[in-house]
Amino acid sequence: MAERADAPTEQQWWEDDGLPWNGKPTKADYWCLGWFGFVGIFGLAMIPLRAWLLGLDPPILLAVTGSRVGAASTGALAAVGEAPHWLLFLLIGSVVSIKFDWIYWWAGKLWGRGILDVQAANSPRAGRNIARVEQWAVKLGWLGIFLAYVPIPLPIAFVVFVLMGMTGMPLWKFMVLDFVSKTIWSFLYLGLGWWIGGPVVEVLDGYAKVANWVAIALLVVVFAGIFRNQSKKEPSAKVVGNEVEAGH
């Protein structure tokens, strides 16, 4: 009996280091993780759509995605009088662009550093980048939201948004600051496009002629990547299955 009492308990599946939660997951944990999966799928679907909309109508691209390219292109068109309602498209784009940011805030509120640790474990480089951003983001506090859209290859927005949830910032305040920050940055990109003007419009006119083909090519690339990843998983699954059968 004493030996049984001293025997180590079996680790539960939800205690795995690759999962973000700190205890047995609840419905909220499942929903939040599910939203992360949805955002990933949505992002893949938007890749060819962005390319197509850029050739079709840059202001629509700005409104549908809030992208930097859409803002700069709309600014260039506005400079030559081809985008009279640019402000409306910009504001709509800001709202649309931040539509999923609450998920990262929620992850920070639910899991704290757990979600950062999961991402940092992907590679040594990812770990260093997250640690670097977190170091100055903690010092800046809510002001870090205004730097979340700096176009550099660091996970600034991800880390900052998670930290806002970790530190207890109310969701409404986070979303308002996020909207203001995104709008300011969109104005900067739109102003850049306005300043360049004509040359950008000429490039857009040329791109419009091949936009459909670019979108199709990107669609093929997305599906090819999905099938390639799936094919890599299948051999692993077969190996695991054989090992399980051998164990029985």
Side-chain angles (χ1 to χ4, degrees):
M1 295 293 291
E3 291 180 358
R4 288 186 179 180
D6 295 337
T9 58
E10 184 178 353
Q11 184 181 23
Q12 299 294 326
W13 66 268
W14 44 264
E15 295 177 319
D16 189 273
D17 292 337
L19 297 173
W21 36 67
N22 302 313
K24 187 174 182 179
T26 63
K27 288 184 178 180
D29 296 309
Y30 290 130
W31 273 106
C32 190
L33 196 63
W35 273 109
F36 270 100
F38 175 78
V39 170
I41 296 172
F42 185 86
L44 287 176
M46 289 298 294
I47 292 175
L49 181 61
R50 286 170 179 262
W52 179 66
L53 287 176
L54 179 60
L56 177 68
D57 194 339
I60 296 298
L61 172 65
L62 174 59
V64 171
T65 67
S67 70
R68 297 188 293 265
V69 173
S73 302
T74 300
L77 292 174
V80 296
E82 295 185 20
H85 304 296
W86 60 267
L87 180 58
L88 176 62
F89 289 117
L90 185 145
L91 294 176
I92 294 174
S94 293
V95 173
V96 173
S97 178
I98 67 172
K99 60 185 176 297
F100 293 135
D101 292 352
W102 60 271
I103 300 172
Y104 303 98
W105 174 92
W106 192 23
K109 183 178 177 63
L110 283 175
W111 305 323
R113 281 201 50 81
I115 187 63
L116 296 181
D117 292 338
V118 169
Q119 293 296 318
N122 287 333
S123 69
R125 181 179 180 182
R128 290 193 300 270
N129 288 340
I130 288 176
R132 187 179 299 118
V133 174
E134 185 180 5
Q135 185 176 12
W136 62 258
V138 170
K139 297 178 181 178
L140 288 175
W142 63 269
L143 290 174
I145 298 176
F146 289 92
L147 298 180
Y149 296 97
V150 175
I152 57 177
L154 287 174
I156 301 177
F158 170 73
V159 174
V160 169
F161 296 167
V162 169
L163 286 176
M164 295 304 102
M166 286 174 56
T167 55
M169 175 180 286
L171 179 58
W172 70 266
K173 182 178 181 180
F174 165 70
M175 294 303 293
V176 169
L177 290 174
D178 194 18
F179 171 78
V180 173
S181 302
K182 174 58 182 175
T183 302
I184 290 174
W185 279 98
S186 292
F187 267 115
L188 292 176
Y189 288 112
L190 188 140
L192 178 62
W194 192 306
W195 177 63
I196 298 174
V200 175
V201 176
E202 293 177 4
V203 172
L204 290 173
D205 289 339
Y207 175 77
K209 299 176 182 178
V210 297
N212 290 338
W213 294 107
V214 173
I216 293 172
L218 289 174
L219 191 62
V220 171
V221 170
V222 169
F223 277 105
I226 293 174
F227 286 128
R228 184 174 65 252
N229 291 336
Q230 188 64 29
S231 63
K232 289 181 180 179
K233 292 179 181 179
E234 288 180 358
S236 299
K238 291 179 180 179
V239 171
V240 172
N242 291 335
E243 290 179 351
V244 171
E245 291 177 2
H248 285 295

